[in-house]
Amino acid sequence: MRTIRTVTAPMTVLILAGSSEATLLATELDGAGFDVISSFAGSTSSPRLRPGRTRSGGFGGADGLFGFLTVEHIDIVIDTTHPFAAQMPFHAAQACERAAIPLCRLTREGWHRTVGDRWVDVDDLADAARALQRLDARRVMLTTGRRVDAFDQCAGQWFLARSIEPLDVERANLVSLLDRGPFTVESERDVMVANRIDTVVTKNAGGSATAAKLVAARELDLTVVMVRRPPQPEGVTTASTVSAAIEWASSIQPSR
Ligand code: NAP
């Protein structure tokens, strides 16, 4: 069973938010007596409310983050940015090393293929666009976020792009579907059948909230173009669950 230390002299924890785990993490750490600051990139128009203090907007690279850690007397940092956040984990690693502040990278486990899956692994969205041509895909469901410019040159495909935020472009062969998970297998199947989807493009974000599309695609025998996760900084402590991150935070001795 998990034990949460109730701290007497509150340690200040900076949560680099951006994934769905960040809200629960802030709530649990706040409840355990930590002084919590949640930081957002500012790219989502309405981040969910959570306990503790919040701030929004970039820090100005690793140097800016180092300055923030120093000025705000941050004791520990938990980087729970999205598994596909490509820069922030590196900035956090650099700034925390320089400031000698303990850092934990919280990322949920990625999805793994199972019997019946027809996955094509690709490195990034540009690679996904090339794969669509190669696979002769016709009707494609994009679940890779609001930025769809990587698919600009795909004239042979029709796209249904599902995103939380409005798309950044309009095109004749592109239909936007604004929706936020969690989704069910039934609702995913309905969307795929109604739109005669033959190929689904997704980032390997992991987690249960959006995994239903993979089950529906398997059942419908559709191809899934799966974008691999970007590289992560080496030598950083990692946790794959909120519980594990809280255990880690509770194990750190205050340095002040
Ligand atoms: P990124 O490449 O790692 O970040 C780009 C820049 O945004 C960073 O250099 C930093 O600016 C700022 N930033 C990112 N996370 C921040 C945070 N929590 N607090 C303050 N500044 C932050 O990430 P991205 O792919 O552009 O995504 C931006 C945000 O959306 C991230 O927080 C990420 O977790 C979230 N998100 C991303 C995806 C995705 O698929 N990429 C999906 C869902 C949510 P400075 O250099 O100025 O500090």
Side-chain angles (χ1 to χ4, degrees), residues 53-194:
R53 291 177 276 161
T54 58
R55 68 165 299 284
S56 188
F59 295 98
D63 287 346
L65 178 56
F66 171 77
F68 183 88
L69 297 176
T70 311
V71 168
E72 295 291 335
H73 304 293
I74 304 296
D75 292 299
I76 61 173
V77 177
I78 301 180
D79 173 7
T80 181
T81 53
H82 190 269
F84 277 81
Q87 294 181 61
M88 202 65 222
F90 287 91
H91 294 176
Q94 287 164 30
C96 287
E97 186 179 13
R98 188 170 155 204
I101 290 174
L103 166 68
C104 177
R105 170 78 170 122
L106 168 59
T107 37
R108 67 187 94 113
E109 211 184 310
W111 294 310
H112 302 287
R113 55 158 54 73
T114 187
V115 179
D117 280 332
R118 290 177 46 194
W119 289 10
V120 175
D121 292 314
V122 297
D123 285 335
D124 51 31
L125 293 180
D127 204 10
R130 286 190 290 271
L132 292 179
Q133 317 287 353
R134 226 176 28 247
L135 295 162
D136 202 21
R138 287 282 176 255
R139 297 184 67 87
V140 180
M141 181 170 171
L142 290 180
T143 62
T144 50
R146 66 188 296 268
R147 291 203 54 199
V148 293
D149 48 310
F151 302 94
D152 279 355
Q153 304 306 318
C154 295
Q157 283 79 30
W158 175 89
F159 292 96
L160 177 72
R162 183 173 66 198
S163 56
I164 297 172
E165 302 281 321
L167 300 183
D168 54 359
V169 292
E170 287 184 15
R171 282 202 315 266
N173 64 343
L174 178 66
V175 170
S176 165
L177 174 62
L178 294 180
D179 208 350
R180 179 194 280 269
F183 303 104
T184 65
V185 175
E186 291 69 32
S187 68
E188 294 293 50
R189 194 189 302 121
D190 288 349
V191 170
M192 291 172 190
V193 170

Side-chain angles (χ1 to χ4, degrees), residues 7 45 58 166 177-178 191 229 256:
V7 285
S45 46
L177 174 62
L178 294 180
V191 170
R229 293 181 171 193
R256 290 185 275 129

